[in-house]
Amino acid sequence: MPTQCKKGSQPCRKKLVSLSATERHRILFSPYITVYGVNSFVVGHYGQFDALAGQAVIEAKKRHPEVSLFMLLPYQNSGRPTVPPEGFDNTFYPFGMERVPPRAAIPRANQYMVDHSDFLIAYVWHMGSNSRKILEAALNRQECGLIRVTNLAP
């Protein structure tokens, strides 16, 4: 099952942003690849953490060619093919999303990933956000041993 890298509710702290893609790979993703055997990552594309996570996984792919990177699509693309950004292997559109209203699409896609992933790497620090609700749902699943959650926010 894939690991989901979920965006935080606000821009990442300067320390995380200032790291090079190589350093972010080493700190954020290398342990998941080498220790836990994760080889599929699903990353959103709306926030700063999404961009940082995507860059770090692209860097990880240089050292670990078995790793795949997918871009999470919360919205249906009206039958037009979606070309993944450079460095991504493909896109992922969760099952059943075509009936979700647009205003609920991002939280629903994120919840789908929490329900279907083994790991969640997040950067969530704002208490009153949809990201926090998704993190809390993941932490509840973690208590049952269904997912392993890492929140990088202080």
Side-chain angles (χ1 to χ4, degrees), residues 6-26:
K6 194 195 163 314
K7 68 177 181 165
S9 54
Q10 292 291 325
C12 295
R13 299 271 190 235
K14 289 181 182 177
K15 182 178 179 186
L16 189 57
V17 173
S18 67
L19 297 174
S20 71
T22 303
E23 292 168 323
R24 284 192 298 268
H25 153 258
R26 183 179 51 76

Side-chain angles (χ1 to χ4, degrees), residues 70-150:
F70 300 90
M71 183 175 67
L72 179 62
L73 299 177
Y75 306 106
Q76 194 172 28
N77 206 5
S78 303
R80 295 186 313 261
T82 301
V83 179
E86 188 175 335
F88 284 71
D89 295 296
N90 212 333
T91 59
F92 179 73
Y93 182 69
F95 178 75
M97 291 293 296
E98 58 278 347
R99 291 185 293 278
V100 176
R103 72 180 190 287
I106 292 174
R108 185 77 59 89
N110 288 336
Q111 185 62 54
Y112 180 95
M113 292 309 306
V114 165
D115 293 342
H116 294 88
S117 297
D118 294 315
F119 298 88
L120 170 66
I121 304 168
Y123 191 96
V124 179
W125 64 274
H126 189 264
M127 295 303 290
S129 67
N130 280 325
S131 296
R132 174 60 66 182
K133 292 175 187 174
I134 297 298
L135 178 62
E136 289 172 358
L139 291 170
N140 288 336
R141 289 180 56 81
Q142 179 174 262
E143 289 178 8
C144 299
L146 300 173
I147 191 170
R148 182 181 295 257
V149 179
T150 302

Side-chain angles (χ1 to χ4, degrees), residues 7-8 44-52:
K7 68 177 181 165
H45 63 287
Y46 288 105
Q48 188 176 18
F49 182 66
D50 293 338
L52 294 173

